Amino acid sequence: MKAKAKNNDSFFESVYEIVRLIPEGKVTSYGAIAKAIGAVRSARMVGYAMNASHNMEDVPAHRVVNRKGLLTGKHHFDGTNLMQQLLESEGIKVIDNKIVDFEKHFWEPDF
DNA sequence: AAGGTGACCGGCC
DNA sequence: TGGCCGGCCACCT
């Protein structure tokens, strides 16, 4: 069996915790999450964690974008425009892999 | 154990 | 907004 549940208390788990708290219709940046867990300099790790989030169903990685509001991680999703579809489905306008009014939909992890 | 990797960020132009 | 460069740090092989 694969058993890739990753029960370890790794850094990834911390990231999932925050991402899971993201409300619908809201988006956040990797840096914001990194800061929330207390690892501003580990923003890259946040993206790394999202890579493994594919096994996690409760992790809406599609609500996480880079600082520019670009769907940088959309390439890692099942489809090509799956991420965009999900965001639009929640009321977020996405044009050319870019979130419209990114700041408006920006959600900061509440400690 | 050491090196390579990466869904990033910030600064500069 | 966009492109380039350096730093940073946990995970993987």
Side-chain angles (χ1 to χ4, degrees):
Chain A
M1 67 262 292
K2 290 143 207 206
K4 202 139 193 250
K6 277 186 181 211
N7 269 14
N8 316 328
D9 309 333
S10 50
F11 191 93
F12 286 23
E13 267 255 341
S14 302
V15 179
Y16 303 141
E17 289 276 314
I18 305 297
V19 179
R20 256 179 261 181
L21 296 174
I22 302 177
E24 293 184 22
K26 296 287 182 183
V27 289
T28 186
S29 63
Y30 300 93
I33 299 170
K35 194 186 276 194
I37 64 181
V40 195
R41 299 156 193 190
S42 309
R44 301 182 89 169
M45 289 294 81
V46 179
Y48 216 109
M50 314 265 47
N51 193 6
S53 77
H54 266 252
N55 279 303
M56 311 292 194
E57 298 179 9
D58 297 314
V59 182
H62 63 268
R63 290 184 194 149
V64 186
V65 295
N66 70 345
R67 74 169 184 226
K68 291 178 186 173
L70 284 165
L71 310 186
T72 53
K74 88 155 203 170
H75 269 262
H76 287 258
F77 272 79
D78 194 21
T80 47
N81 49 342
L82 174 63
M83 188 174 184
Q84 183 168 335
Q85 297 280 311
L86 290 165
L87 288 171
E88 289 190 331
S89 197
E90 298 193 357
I92 300 175
K93 302 272 171 75
V94 179
I95 298 177
D96 195 33
N97 306 333
K98 197 167 45 198
I99 293 182
V100 183
D101 295 320
F102 174 55
E103 316 174 19
K104 206 195 291 198
H105 292 290
F106 190 80
W107 174 83
E108 194 176 348
D110 194 5
F111 254 101

